[in-house]
Amino acid sequence: IITDALLGEHAVFYAQFDYLEQSLPLLIRFPAAKELDQARKLLLRVIEVAREHFAKEEQVLYRLAPQ
């Protein structure tokens, strides 16, 4: 059964995936040492979103898989 809550989770799940997909290519565009801090901040955010995304997979998708 698809509920509003599940649809909301779906939207968050794909928003996180889109963020990761768009952010990772940006990391290779930081060639100068002065931009290293900016690259580090972006990488830490990407890691944070990835962890949230994987946690969501475990909480929602794996629970639904047997169904």
Side-chain angles (χ1 to χ4, degrees):
I1 298 175
I2 297 177
T3 64
D4 288 340
L6 186 58
L7 288 174
E9 294 289 341
H10 181 267
V12 170
F13 185 80
Y14 279 96
Q16 290 171 330
F17 186 79
D18 288 343
Y19 176 82
L20 294 171
E21 197 170 54
Q22 293 169 12
S23 297
L24 289 174
L26 295 176
L27 289 173
I28 62 172
R29 296 188 184 140
F30 288 103
K34 65 182 178 182
E35 297 174 321
L36 193 55
D37 187 54
Q38 191 177 5
R40 184 180 66 67
K41 288 177 184 175
L42 176 60
L43 181 57
L44 290 174
R45 179 65 184 138
V46 166
I47 291 169
E48 181 182 352
V49 171
R51 286 180 176 163
E52 291 171 2
H53 183 79
F54 297 142
K56 188 131 332 257
E57 278 185 349
E58 290 178 12
Q59 294 167 1
V60 178
L61 295 180
Y62 294 153
R63 204 171 16 157
L64 293 174
Q67 297 176 8

